[in-house]
Amino acid sequence: MSPTPLDRSAPASTARLVRRELHASRAVPSVLTAILLIIVCLVLLFEAALKALGDNPFLVDVEAVAAWIGALPSGVPASLLGTGSFLLLVLGVLLLLLALLPGRRARYTIPNERAAVVVDAEVVASSLARRARAEAGVAPEQVLVTVGRSSVTVQIRPTSGIPVDAEAVRAAVADDLRRSSVEPEPRITVVVAESGVIGQ
Amino acid sequence: MNTTPRLLNRIVLAVVGILLLAAGAAGLVLLTLPAVAVWWGGAAPRVAQAIGDVRTATTLEGQADTWLWIALAAVLLVLIVLLVLWIAAQGRGRTGLFASVDARFPAPHGRHVGPPAGGSAGGRSSGMGSRGVQSEDGGTLGSVTITAAAAEQALKAALLERSELVGASVSTWQVRGVPGLWVRVFPRKGAAPYAVAAEVSRLVEALDRVTGYRTPVLISISSGTRVRWTRADRVS
C-alpha cells in the first residue's frame, strides 16, 4: 500500500454518480412495461403451442383476431374502437415521453472535493426557512419556503406591529445559498404578506 | 448508485411507446378517414391471402398446420426470457466486498493507519505462488479482504453520533467496477446542507485513512418521514 490512501475514485465517476442521482432511472415504468409484455407473450406462446399441437384455442383465437383486424372498422362499435385506439395512443405517448424527457428530480448538487453530494430540494428549503425565520424574527409557522429548479420563494407573514426587513431576509437566504453553492443557482424572491398575524 | 441500465430502459420504453402509438393512431385513422377504411378493406384480403400462402408453403407433409407456430412459440419464449432478464437488471450492483489486498502492495513504511483494518491490511502480502512479496516485518503470506459491512458499520456508527443527523444508512455498490459507498443521511429539519456535507465528507476522509482506499462516495442528503416528525432543534 502507498502512504496515501489508494485512489480508486476518478472525477469522471463522481460526475457520473451526480448525473445519475439527479435524473430518474425509469426503473418502475420499465418493470411495469416488462410485466405487461410478459403476460401478453405468455398468452400468445400458449396459443401458438396449442396451434402447433392442433388443439382448440384456449383464451384467444389467433385466427379470429386476425380476421377481426382485417375487417376493421366494421365488426366493432365505433365508440369502442375510438376509445380503445385513443387509450393506446395516450399510453404510447406516455411511454415515449418517459423515454425522451430528462426526468429531473427535485435535487441539487453541492460541489465537494471528496464525494458526490446530492441534496433533496426539501432539505434546502427547510434550511432556508430556518435561516429566514431567524433573520425575520418570526415563528416557524410564519415562514414558507418553496424551492424550485431555478427559483426560491420565501413567503413571510409578519407578526402584527413588527415590520420585517425583506431585504435582510433576502441577503440571509442568498448567503445560505452561496455557502451551499447549490447548482444551478436559483433566483430568490421574498414575499412579505400585507396582513400580520398575532404574535406567538 | 445502482447499475440499472438506464439507456436500455429508455430505448425499450421508446420502442414500446412508438408501437402502441402506431396501433392507436391506426385505429383512429381507420375510424375517422373513410378513404383509409376503403384502402384497408381492399388490402386486408391480400394480406390474408399472403399469410395463407406462407402457411401452406411451410406445412410439412402429414402435418395439420404450419411449423411456423413452433417457431413463433420459440421466438416468444426467447422474448420472455429477455424481458425477465431486463427486470432482473434493475437496481442491481450491491456488493459485499469493500476491498481485497494481494501481493501488489508491499509493506508500508512508517505509515500511520488506524488500528484494525489498516494494520492487518498493511502487514500481509499475498500467497499468489512462491514469488509473492515478503513483507518487511517477516509476516506470513496471505490475502486480506475488508468486507462491505466493516466499512459501512464504521461509517454509520460515526454518522449516528452527530446530533444534526436523525438517521443514516451506508451501503456498498459497484461503481464502474470498483466498490463505492452510498451514504444516505437524514439531517434534522433546518440543518444547513453545506455543513452536513462538509461533516460527512470529513468522516469519509477518516474512513479513507483507516481502510487505505479512497473509494467513490455518493452522499445523499435526504428528507424522510422521520425527519418531518422530529423537531428542528433538540431543545426547543
Side-chain angles (χ1 to χ4, degrees), chain A residues 40-63, chain B residues 65-77:
Chain A
V40 171
C41 284
L42 277 177
V43 171
L44 276 178
L45 174 67
F46 193 56
E47 296 299 336
L50 287 180
K51 274 284 180 196
L53 295 171
D55 277 345
N56 289 328
F58 175 62
L59 281 175
V60 185
D61 186 349
V62 181
E63 289 187 48
Chain B
D65 211 337
T66 165
W67 53 262
L68 281 181
W69 288 117
I70 299 171
L72 178 66
V75 168
L76 286 171
L77 206 60

Side-chain angles (χ1 to χ4, degrees), chain B residues 69-110:
Chain B
W69 288 117
I70 299 171
L72 178 66
V75 168
L76 286 171
L77 206 60
V78 170
L79 200 59
I80 290 170
V81 169
L82 288 178
L83 286 169
V84 169
L85 286 179
W86 185 35
I87 293 181
Q90 311 289 326
R92 291 286 293 265
R94 187 111 192 236
T95 171
L97 191 69
F98 181 78
S100 86
V101 179
D102 58 24
R104 281 174 301 162
F105 307 110
H109 308 274

Side-chain angles (χ1 to χ4, degrees), chain A residues 86-101, chain B residues 13-14 16-22:
Chain A
F86 185 71
L87 283 181
L88 279 183
L89 194 81
V90 168
L91 199 61
V93 168
L94 209 72
L95 289 183
L96 208 57
L97 285 181
L98 280 175
L100 296 179
L101 290 183
Chain B
L13 286 178
V16 176
I18 288 171
L19 290 179
L20 290 179
L21 191 72

Side-chain angles (χ1 to χ4, degrees), chain B residues 13 24 31 47 86 89 106 124 138 144 152 158 195-196 213 224 226:
Chain B
L13 286 178
L31 192 67
V47 173
W86 185 35
R124 308 278 183 272
V144 172
E152 286 166 13
V196 172
Y213 282 97
R226 253 177 89 193

Side-chain angles (χ1 to χ4, degrees), chain A residues 24-36:
Chain A
S25 74
R26 306 297 190 214
V28 174
S30 297
V31 169
L32 291 179
T33 309
I35 288 172
L36 281 179

